[in-house]
Amino acid sequence: MTVLRIRDFEIHPAYIPASEQKDLVERLRACLAVAPLVQPTTPRGKAMSVRMSAAGDYGWVSDAKGYRYEPRHPSGVDWPPIPDALLKIWRDLVPDARLPECCLINWYDGAARMGLHQDKDEADFSQPVVSISLGDEALFRVGNATRGGKTESIWLRSGDVVVMQGAARRAYHGIDRVRPDSSTLLPNGGRINLTLRVVT
Ligand code: SIN
Ligand code: FE2
């Protein structure tokens, strides 16, 4: 299969076949029935445009108390287990890594975006983050290890998988915008991004 690179980001276009994407969406619906999407706020009280949930031992949350990983959904329920199909993708793409302890589930509507940020609430940056895109296309921007400097962008499509490790693990990245109605995977449109992470 083709692998693209921008900077140190490794992009696997159309890694997940269409039929498997459908199965994955069903699995994720079951996860969200247990641990519903919530709209996080930043520590300063601004609502994020993305809605979030998680699976695994930990979920990433943000509210007035700050950014952090929590062992339970804000409702108090345990996060559901990470679906096996996702663990398989992780094992196939990053066989030497520890197993993921979190699958963050980000849901974008047509107006959602995510500002440039680093993933830095994990304890071990030697471990990769694997990102899976489902549904509408999104413009992914990648930058540098520090804020500022030149950036590059690429459209991520349904079924694309991005591996962030090495220098990419510390690089700023974000989603500028979603292209509504660019995929038929989700009947009501929108985009799901899954990021598998080792937390501890
Ligand atoms: C993230 O950085 O957490 C999400 C990236 C994406 O939505 O593709
Ligand atoms: Fe991120």
Side-chain angles (χ1 to χ4, degrees):
M1 274 215 225
T2 328
V3 184
L4 305 176
R5 267 171 214 285
I6 28 170
R7 314 250 168 119
D8 293 292
F9 290 76
E10 188 182 298
I11 296 155
H12 299 260
Y15 187 81
I16 307 173
S19 62
E20 286 178 30
Q21 293 177 36
K22 286 214 168 92
D23 291 346
L24 201 42
V25 170
E26 289 313 308
R27 295 274 175 280
L28 294 168
R29 285 193 200 289
C31 290
L32 296 177
V34 174
L37 291 165
V38 297
Q39 183 165 33
T41 54
T42 66
R44 294 169 140 218
K46 189 172 182 290
M48 294 187 183
S49 57
V50 170
R51 293 201 289 151
M52 293 185 179
S53 186
D57 295 339
Y58 298 94
W60 187 87
V61 299
S62 175
D63 58 22
K65 288 191 270 176
Y67 301 133
R68 66 201 181 276
Y69 283 95
E70 288 281 0
R72 274 176 286 280
H73 185 272
S75 68
V77 299
D78 287 341
W79 303 106
I82 299 176
D84 285 340
L86 297 174
L87 296 175
K88 181 176 186 320
I89 293 168
W90 176 276
R91 285 202 189 90
D92 289 346
L93 286 177
V94 289
D96 298 330
R98 291 165 55 199
L99 286 181
E101 299 166 311
C102 171
C103 172
L104 185 65
I105 304 170
N106 286 339
W107 190 82
Y108 295 74
D109 66 18
R113 53 186 293 283
M114 185 172 292
L116 280 174
H117 66 278
Q118 291 170 302
D119 292 356
K120 58 180 182 191
D121 297 315
E122 302 75 27
D124 184 355
F125 295 114
S126 76
Q127 298 301 307
V129 170
V130 172
S131 151
I132 294 162
S133 293
L134 296 167
D136 285 336
E137 297 168 8
L139 191 57
F140 183 57
R141 181 179 295 275
V142 305
N144 308 293
T146 52
R147 207 174 260 292
K150 283 202 174 130
T151 62
E152 291 175 56
S153 302
I154 183 171
W155 284 96
L156 295 179
R157 300 191 168 80
S158 197
D160 291 357
V161 179
V162 181
V163 177
M164 300 182 243
Q165 59 188 343
R169 182 65 185 77
R170 307 298 289 260
Y172 277 82
H173 58 277
I175 294 292
D176 286 356
R177 62 194 164 94
V178 170
R179 188 183 267 158
D181 303 320
S182 51
S183 160
T184 56
L185 181 69
L186 304 172
N188 297 320
R191 171 176 188 259
I192 297 169
N193 175 261
L194 306 170
T195 41
L196 295 163
R197 298 136 180 258
V198 176
V199 174
T200 60

